[in-house]
């Protein structure tokens, strides 16, 4: 189950790492996000990846909350189970 996201702007593209509750990590480039994309678009794409993973593998709805950036080109987010509607 995902618990966090790290998003980095690199010369090769937008890299993401999805951190899991059991200490695992899934890393890669964000698909279909250009190198020169706006950071807000990259954050939206990274959140969509995590929301999709949680749904497809855990049949769970999650919320992604981005932390204030601490340094340029790097963002982190917390992932939590969404409240029931």
């Amino acid at each position: 189950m995902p618990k966090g996201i790290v998003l980095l702007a690199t010369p090769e593209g937008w890299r993401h790492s999805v951190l899991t509750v059991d200490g695992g990590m899934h890393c890669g480039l964000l698909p279909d996000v250009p190198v020169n994309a706006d950071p807000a678009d990259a954050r939206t794409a990274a959140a969509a990846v995590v929301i999709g993973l949680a749904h497809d593998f855990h049949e769970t709805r999650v919320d992604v909350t981005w932390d204030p950036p601490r340094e340029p080109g790097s963002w982190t987010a917390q992932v939590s189970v969404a409240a029931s509607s």
Side-chain angles (χ1 to χ4, degrees):
M1 182 72 171
K3 74 170 188 174
I5 308 171
V6 176
L7 178 64
L8 300 171
T10 71
E12 297 82 31
W14 292 92
R15 298 201 60 80
H16 72 287
S17 296
V18 178
L19 313 172
T20 66
V21 295
D22 62 358
M25 188 182 311
H26 168 78
C27 303
L29 283 172
L30 284 176
D32 304 322
V33 179
V35 168
N36 61 348
D38 185 87
D41 293 336
R43 287 191 303 271
T44 298
V49 166
V50 170
I51 290 167
L53 288 171
H55 177 267
D56 294 348
F57 290 98
H58 302 284
E59 298 180 355
T60 303
R61 286 186 35 229
V62 296
D63 293 322
V64 175
T65 305
W66 291 97
D67 301 324
R70 294 185 182 175
E71 57 186 75
S74 175
W75 295 266
T76 58
Q78 306 306 310
V79 179
S80 58
V81 174
S84 299
S85 341

